[in-house]
Amino acid sequence: AVTPPHPTIRVRPLTCTETRRGDQQVVHSLGDGAVHVSAARHDATFGFSAVFDAGSSQEAVFEGSGMRQLVELAIDGFSCTVFAFGQTGSGKTYTLMGPLAQTVPRVQLPVLLQSQGRLVSGGERWAEDAARLGQGCWGVMQSILPPAGSQRRRTSAHALNRHSSRSHALLTVHIRTRSRAVSAHLLLGRAGGPGLGAGVSGCPSKQGTLCFVDLAGSERVKETGSTGELSVEANSINRSLLALGHCISLLANPRGKRTHIPYRDSKLTRLLARSLGGSGITLMVACISPSSHCLSETLSTLHYASRARRVTTRP
Ligand code: ADP
Ligand code: MG
């Protein structure tokens, strides 16, 4: 069994609204993966493999959280998933997509592929579009992803976040790597390896996936001031997150190895079944706000992340 990288914690900076309101900063990174939460009646320290505080850049998170490693594993034929979770407004979308102006996740995939001298096959549609637009894979992602994904995603404004994501968003990139010269060692020795098979042209190929999951935030209807349709949405978001939390608890329970995991309880857990408990490699990024106002949600995210830490998969 291989343990997936432990959850990474990202603490965003206080927003202008929080600063104006005079919120206290109650979350502090102590270094070495320790994060300290201190408020009037709370004083707790949690340990993780990495904690990124308000001053951390996107690059630092990409490099230090294991995301780069995950991209490399996907190129090597593994099924990889990175998912961001946390309260609404905690910085999940920002972490996966970058500042609002940017519409593509910061995977630096083409750069990485080029630097490793590998061949990229983006699937027929991508290949066609790439030819038509005279662009590489990166350009195609920029031209296809916004209309196909981000713009279809429901967002609306409420009290906690002006661009709150009102649905979970999943983006899966299928990566097929074809090597021109492959040694007999690779052919014989790793025939049963991850996603290794004969390519269309007779060249052996490896097929991996890289899946980005930007979960809609959990929210307390009372705090966001959602009513009507919005509160129905909030409830169904919360229901699927609850199902996810339930699966994670069962997977994290060492005695529960033979327990039935209710992946079918929600569409979300059904889609994530492979990433969570199967043959995938999963990296979780728990996003939290440093504000005293978000204290209880922050504590519940940190507890959730601590549980997720104990889940193992067999890639
Ligand atoms: P979520 O997706 O968790 O609901 P967002 O990613 O939309 O939250 O972030 C909420 C707000 O905080 C946005 O205005 C975003 O630009 C800002 N923000 C989040 N993380 C950071 C960060 N690390 N640095 C600067 N601003 C951030
Ligand atoms: Mg979001």
Side-chain angles (χ1 to χ4, degrees):
V2 178
T3 314
H6 289 164
T8 288
I9 306 297
R10 188 176 200 190
V11 192
R12 68 156 166 75
L14 281 169
T15 60
C16 298
T17 318
E18 289 169 341
T19 311
R20 244 183 282 126
R21 198 167 54 195
D23 290 8
Q24 296 294 315
Q25 179 157 344
V26 296
V27 180
H28 299 273
S29 158
L30 303 177
D32 275 342
V35 58
H36 184 66
V37 181
S38 62
R41 268 175 290 123
H42 293 275
D43 194 69
T45 305
F46 297 81
F48 296 98
S49 62
V51 175
F52 295 92
D53 59 18
S56 307
S57 65
Q58 289 288 94
E59 275 87 358
V61 175
F62 181 76
E63 295 293 336
S65 65
M67 274 192 217
R68 172 182 283 279
Q69 201 192 342
L70 210 70
V71 175
E72 285 166 357
L73 285 163
I75 296 168
D76 264 342
F78 287 94
S79 304
C80 300
T81 306
V82 48
F83 78 86
F85 64 98
Q87 178 183 19
T88 186
S90 59
K92 299 179 295 296
T93 302
Y94 186 99
T95 296
L96 290 183
M97 310 288 281
L100 270 184
Q102 219 174 299
T103 45
V104 206
R106 175 179 215 93
V107 285
Q108 301 174 356
L109 195 57
V111 179
L112 210 68
L113 288 164
Q114 270 165 16
S115 72
Q116 301 196 350
R118 309 218 201 191
L119 287 170
V120 193
S121 155
E124 263 167 51
R125 162 130 185 250
W126 277 21
E128 263 170 41
D129 281 343
R132 186 167 52 80
L133 302 169
Q135 292 172 333
C137 168
W138 183 241
V140 174
M141 270 180 94
Q142 274 177 315
S143 59
I144 290 177
L145 193 59
S150 301
Q151 280 168 22
R152 201 186 293 162
R153 191 170 192 198
R154 268 180 71 86
T155 62
S156 28
H158 60 54
L160 283 182
N161 185 351
R162 273 191 305 138
H163 298 275
S164 172
S165 312
R166 308 294 307 174
S167 60
H168 306 300
L170 274 79
L171 164 72
T172 306
V173 182
H174 296 267
I175 306 164
R176 187 156 65 217
T177 320
R178 231 172 267 154
S179 22
R180 285 180 207 274
V182 176
S183 67
H185 158 76
L186 187 60
L187 277 172
L188 299 172
R190 295 193 51 195
L196 185 71
V200 255
S201 57
C203 294
S205 68
K206 284 185 272 187
Q207 190 148 356
T209 55
L210 190 54
C211 180
F212 298 88
V213 185
D214 181 6
L215 294 175
S218 58
E219 52 191 61
R220 307 213 156 138
V221 174
K222 210 170 53 180
E223 273 172 38
T224 53
S226 306
T227 53
E229 201 187 336
L230 285 186
S231 92
V232 173
E233 274 177 2
N235 284 331
S236 79
I237 292 169
N238 290 346
R239 202 164 45 240
S240 60
L241 289 172
L242 205 67
L244 179 62
H246 187 49
C247 289
I248 290 178
S249 308
L250 289 172
L251 286 163
N253 179 1
R255 282 167 304 155
K257 265 190 191 135
R258 304 251 180 286
T259 320
H260 164 72
I261 310 291
Y263 292 120
R264 297 188 150 266
D265 279 5
S266 76
K267 198 183 272 182
L268 178 69
T269 44
R270 219 155 45 224
L271 287 168
L272 289 177
R274 213 159 102 95
S275 323
L276 288 174
S279 56
I281 301 172
T282 300
L283 174 65
M284 301 191 189
V285 184
C287 297
I288 52 179
S289 152
S291 155
S292 48
H293 214 77
C294 301
L295 181 64
S296 71
E297 285 279 359
T298 295
L299 287 168
S300 95
T301 300
L302 290 170
H303 285 299
Y304 200 99
S306 305
R307 266 207 306 278
R309 222 184 141 151
R310 297 197 296 268
V311 180
T312 54
T313 58
R314 284 166 181 75

